[in-house]
Amino acid sequence: MSTQRCSGRNGLPLWVRWQAGRSLPLLPVVAGVVALVVTCPLIFVALQAGQAGSGAASRLLGRPLVATLLWNTATLATAVTAATLVIGFSAAYVVERTDLPAKRAWTVALAMPLAVPEFVHGYCWVSLFPSVQGFWGAALVMTSSLYPLVFLPVAATLRRSDAAAEEVARSLGHGRLATVRRVTLPMARPALAGGALLVSLYLLGEYGAFAMLRFTTFATAIYTEFETAFDVASAGMLTLVLVALALLLVVLDARVARHRRVVREGSTGRPCAPLPLGSWTIPVLAGLVAVVGSALGVPLFALVYWLVRGSSTTLPSASIWSATATTLGYALATAAVATGAAVPVALYAWRRPTRLARGVERAAYLTRALPGIAIALAVVFFALHYAQPFYQQPPLLVAGYVVLFFPLALTAVRASLAHVPHGVEDVARSLGTRPLMVLFRVTLPLIVPGLGAAFAMVALTAGTELTATLLLRPTGTETLATKFWAYTTNLSWGAAAPYAAVMTALSIPAVLLLTRRTLGGGPGISRSVKEVAR
């Protein structure tokens, strides 16, 4: 019998590989249960669609409001996505391909607007400039808030790409613009598509910023129908339309990805020679100052202004500390549950790369395409019909957070497993170690950095969540986001500033971690959505 038949991959005997396949027999069951729980909002959407009669659906969807919401959503998504693509690509190209001074400082400054939640961006602009409202106000605020979602993946792609093609194009007489159009843009096309998809999904689910900017979207209409009129039927039908739009974006991106040209990437062994800016140095620096000033300078100035000039000094400090403690408590509980639940799903997909395992993993990623308000309504529906004792209780809010942010945890854990040396578990089992002990003694210690990253990202993201918190929080519970929202609703700008400042400060470590991992070769910012698209 040949060695090829007697040995598996990495030279291990086939009986060892057979035992490895039989390890942790409950892993598929646990992973499947987790994926089923996480995808419950999709099941809720399907049930709502099936229970609503055709007549009721026609009456609800035939209202002029729906046409207005579609128009507002489509035009704003088109304008903001186009603007973020231009700004994100231009900023990434200047940072990664030119001799721009202080590149590292500019990279951090261009990514830092992600630390300011979108509804805090809206508060900062509206409190300083009350005329920033409507379509153009929403376009300005959301563009300045979301362009880093394009900047980071494009910068990471340009940093890791093979620069030889661009140098050859220039050596053949092509100018800078021609080289960018023919070589650099095709090279960055996957990152641009992933960033555009993320921006569009964020726009579909955002509520706080649009409510503050007085711009009506599906998210604001759904919240109004549920919270003000408690019209579950109307809110459910509008949610169906919103979810359909989100899934349509994912499907379109998947179809585009199949026909997307693949451009060779990889290290050439030397850094790309930076292009001299020359006489363009001053205009480029002025453009970057304008971008960072509008995206980061205005929010920081507004927060400092209202902290100093507003009525925030009259607030009891106990209120801020109490809201901070509550926020951290829910955020840490969510991070622990989401990270723990992500481990079996990631392990199952990593150990058994079958169609079933990939299907379980991608089903868990699908919730990233659902807006937060859709997930919150699904959790409320489930609690009212099947778990009334948990309605407006802390476990319900944690469950909503876990479903909403589970893809972030799964992305980080899955990326860490990809760096585990192949066959290390098989070697441990061949020495007689039980599968469960291999998991705790070998696998988990190797992915501790990924578990830490997943915990940090989920905790800090959950700490700034607003829409689901407003719908799911227990009676009398106040987080930083809800206290901030209560004061801004009454136009108490100074009183809201401390809560906005604390939320922003808590988000800075997550942005720095994301920037380092994305530009340092770690998992990209659009990884979870790209997994859905595949």
Side-chain angles (χ1 to χ4, degrees), residues 378-405:
V379 175
V380 168
F381 175 86
F382 175 81
L384 288 175
H385 288 79
Y386 305 107
Q388 282 193 350
F390 290 98
Y391 182 64
Q392 289 192 334
Q393 295 298 317
L396 196 68
L397 180 57
V398 173
Y401 282 167
V402 169
V403 173
L404 190 58
F405 302 118

Side-chain angles (χ1 to χ4, degrees), residues 65-421:
L65 173 63
V66 176
T68 302
L69 296 178
L70 282 173
W71 172 256
N72 288 351
T73 302
T75 54
L76 184 67
T78 302
V80 173
T81 302
T84 54
L85 287 176
V86 172
I87 295 174
F89 176 82
S90 301
Y93 182 84
V94 168
V95 169
E96 297 297 332
R97 287 292 189 262
T98 69
D99 60 350
L100 178 74
K103 288 186 177 183
R104 180 170 297 181
W106 280 115
T107 300
V108 174
L110 287 166
M112 197 51 64
L114 287 177
V116 185
E118 288 79 13
F119 54 90
V120 175
H121 267 280
Y123 149 79
C124 293
W125 278 92
V126 171
S127 63
L128 294 178
F129 312 103
S131 60
V132 179
Q133 295 183 4
F135 175 83
W136 293 111
L140 171 63
V141 171
M142 298 308 293
T143 298
S144 62
S145 178
L146 297 179
Y147 80 84
L149 298 177
V150 177
F151 165 74
L152 282 177
V154 173
T157 297
L158 294 181
R159 178 170 297 188
R160 295 193 294 265
S161 63
D162 190 347
E166 295 173 87
E167 295 175 351
V168 168
R170 286 193 294 269
S171 68
L172 294 176
H174 293 292
R176 293 186 181 182
L177 290 179
T179 302
V180 169
R181 186 178 70 254
R182 297 182 178 182
V183 180
T184 312
L185 271 176
M187 186 184 302
R189 194 174 298 161
L192 287 170
L197 181 60
L198 274 176
V199 170
S200 300
L201 293 176
Y202 267 91
L203 288 171
L204 291 182
E206 178 59 32
Y207 163 73
F210 294 146
M212 202 166 296
L213 295 166
R214 300 182 185 276
F215 185 71
T216 304
T217 64
F218 273 104
T220 60
I222 292 169
Y223 185 84
T224 301
E225 294 284 352
F226 181 81
E227 189 70 11
T228 304
F230 203 74
D231 190 346
V232 180
S234 297
M237 292 306 302
L238 292 178
T239 302
L240 287 177
V241 179
L242 187 60
V243 170
L245 290 175
L247 294 179
L248 177 63
L249 289 174
V250 174
V251 172
L252 288 177
D253 184 79
R255 288 181 176 269
V256 172
R258 294 174 186 173
H259 303 287
R260 195 172 293 152
R261 189 173 69 173
V262 178
V263 180
R264 182 167 60 98
E265 290 187 6
S267 175
T268 58
R270 56 179 176 79
C272 177
L275 298 175
L277 288 173
S279 60
W280 284 93
T281 301
I282 300 301
V284 167
L285 288 175
L288 291 178
V289 169
V291 171
V292 175
S294 63
L296 189 61
V298 170
L300 292 181
F301 176 80
L303 292 178
V304 173
Y305 175 83
W306 288 115
L307 285 172
V308 175
R309 297 287 300 274
S311 58
S312 58
T313 55
T314 64
L315 290 174
S317 58
S319 173
I320 300 176
W321 289 114
S322 175
T324 303
T326 302
T327 301
L328 289 177
Y330 279 107
L332 295 177
T334 301
V337 175
T339 303
V343 171
V345 178
L347 277 174
Y348 181 48
W350 175 63
R351 284 178 170 175
R352 305 181 185 182
T354 62
R355 289 185 178 181
L356 178 60
R358 287 194 297 269
V360 170
E361 184 184 21
R362 290 171 183 174
Y365 276 126
L366 274 179
T367 56
R368 192 67 187 93
L370 298 181
I373 196 166
I375 292 176
L377 285 176
V379 175
V380 168
F381 175 86
F382 175 81
L384 288 175
H385 288 79
Y386 305 107
Q388 282 193 350
F390 290 98
Y391 182 64
Q392 289 192 334
Q393 295 298 317
L396 196 68
L397 180 57
V398 173
Y401 282 167
V402 169
V403 173
L404 190 58
F405 302 118
F406 181 81
L408 292 178
L410 182 58
T411 298
V413 177
R414 188 70 174 88
S416 293
L417 283 173
H419 292 85
V420 173

Side-chain angles (χ1 to χ4, degrees), residues 478-517:
E478 297 290 351
T479 65
L480 290 170
T482 59
K483 291 289 289 184
F484 165 83
W485 188 250
Y487 284 117
T488 55
T489 303
N490 296 324
L491 302 183
S492 301
W493 307 125
Y499 301 97
V502 174
M503 282 190 290
T504 301
L506 291 177
S507 300
I508 289 176
V511 175
L512 293 176
L513 175 66
L514 181 62
T515 303
R516 182 177 65 85
R517 289 177 66 85

